[in-house]
Amino acid sequence: MEKSEVLTDLDVASTTRSVMKKLPEVTLAFWIMKIAATTLGETAGDLFAQTLELGYFLTTIALFLIFVVTLVVQLRSRRYNPFFYWTVILSTSMAGTTMSDFMNRDASATFLSGGATSLGWGPQGLGLGYPVGAAILISLLVAVFAVWKLTGMTFVIRDIVTFRGEVLFWSAILVSNTLGTSMGDFLSDSSGLGYAGGALLVCGMLAVLLVLMKVPVVPNVLLFWFAFVLTRPLGATAGDFLTKPVAKGGLDFGTAGSSAVLLAVLLGLMAYAQVQERRAAFSSAESAGQEAVIQRAA
């Protein structure tokens, strides 16, 4: 076999790996979009369940089905598409909001929006409370990571290129976003910190994780997953801060108005990410073409 043929085979293998890459690079833009998506997930989940009075039960079923549909689209995609990826993140955030509320809350007036006397059809909450709900969700998340570890597949998202690895990734995302909602609601409603105080506490914890990135003995993969979980309570507290009445410490922008603004912001960020991805793909293809020409000439 000639040298040029070997190089061509290697180029094909590299291209296949690039095409199979389905998840984004973790950059500052990634975290900004994650916070925007999770904040929108909080406000949109509350919009359907509380403002429109569909209730936690019906809204959870509907949003979980939306999550399944968006996930199928993402899994069937052949390469990373920012619109597909961030739509799944958003759907897990919305579903996680109402799943958490359904687990932790009950049908008492404490959890009803202003003026509402009841919510939609079906049971409106299991009333487990935040500690029990968090314990269940932490156990589920640990179970997902345990199964993931047993498969021997990487936890580094930029290196996840298999269908099974992506399924495990999205399972962890759904559970972690639900857990993060519980944490955010606990900080906002039960800790005494209020919405702004809860958000500041989470920001402080994220700052600690940022410092720990400089410590060689702490794996960055572990820090990533801690940060991924923590950005969800940040979105939950930020969402509550935007939507709740001023008397309760919020800005009273409402779930509909806040959701509309956040959706516009997220769509703009998704469009920007799409443009950047196309530029990167074009640049990569151009570089690969130039390298192939040089190798053939050699």
Side-chain angles (χ1 to χ4, degrees):
M1 184 179 291
E2 296 181 2
K3 181 179 180 181
S4 60
E5 293 175 336
V6 173
L7 289 172
T8 300
D9 290 341
L10 291 174
D11 288 340
V12 170
S14 176
T15 301
T16 300
R17 180 176 175 81
S18 177
V19 169
M20 286 298 294
K21 180 184 174 186
K22 305 283 291 297
L23 306 176
E25 296 291 336
V26 181
T27 62
L28 177 60
F30 171 91
W31 292 113
I32 293 173
M33 294 180 73
K34 172 64 164 58
I35 294 170
T38 53
T39 305
L40 176 57
E42 178 72 17
T43 60
D46 287 346
L47 170 64
F48 292 118
Q50 298 181 30
T51 305
L52 299 180
E53 299 184 19
L54 297 178
Y56 302 130
F57 183 69
L58 289 179
T59 305
T60 295
I61 293 175
L63 293 180
F64 186 81
L65 291 176
I66 291 174
F67 158 68
V68 172
V69 171
T70 59
L71 180 59
V72 169
V73 173
Q74 165 69 19
L75 292 175
R76 289 177 62 86
S77 175
R78 290 186 171 272
R79 60 178 301 162
Y80 170 60
N81 183 305
F83 281 98
F84 295 166
Y85 175 85
W86 289 106
T87 299
V88 185
I89 292 291
L90 175 58
S91 67
T92 62
S93 297
M94 291 191 299
T97 295
T98 54
M99 288 168 63
S100 169
D101 289 344
F102 182 76
M103 289 178 61
N104 299 323
R105 297 179 175 184
D106 54 38
S108 67
T110 304
F111 301 112
L112 298 179
S113 58
T117 57
S118 64
L119 293 177
W121 178 85
Q124 289 314 310
L126 301 178
L128 298 178
Y130 296 122
V132 175
I136 293 173
L137 291 167
I138 290 172
S139 299
L140 287 174
L141 189 58
V142 169
V144 171
F145 281 126
V147 172
W148 195 340
K149 179 68 174 178
L150 290 174
T151 65
M153 290 183 290
T154 180
F155 289 99
V156 182
I157 71 168
R158 68 171 178 269
D159 295 333
I160 297 174
V161 294
T162 65
F163 177 84
R164 185 169 57 170
E166 198 176 359
V167 169
L168 287 168
F169 171 80
W170 287 115
S171 299
I173 296 303
L174 178 62
V175 178
S176 66
N177 274 338
T178 308
L179 172 62
T181 301
S182 294
M183 294 170 61
D185 287 343
F186 170 76
L187 290 175
S188 298
D189 300 334
S190 305
S191 69
L193 294 174
Y195 308 124
L200 287 174
L201 175 62
V202 177
C203 286
M205 296 171 70
L206 289 171
V208 172
L209 295 180
L210 186 62
V211 172
L212 289 176
M213 287 181 61
K214 306 298 182 181
V215 180
V217 296
V218 182
N220 280 349
V221 173
L222 182 63
L223 295 177
F224 165 83
W225 282 105
F226 273 119
F228 204 97
V229 172
L230 284 174
T231 49
R232 183 61 187 95
L234 177 59
T237 52
D240 286 340
F241 182 62
L242 291 172
T243 60
K244 299 303 182 183
V246 175
K248 292 185 176 181
L251 296 178
D252 200 17
F253 290 156
T255 54
S258 299
S259 296
V261 172
L262 289 167
L263 179 60
V265 170
L266 184 60
L267 288 174
L269 291 171
M270 289 164 68
Y272 173 77
Q274 185 73 38
V275 171
Q276 293 296 101
E277 184 66 19
R278 288 180 178 176
R279 287 178 178 174
F282 177 79
S283 177
S284 178
E286 189 177 48
S287 298
Q290 293 174 352
E291 184 178 348
V293 170
I294 294 173
Q295 294 291 354
R296 290 191 181 96

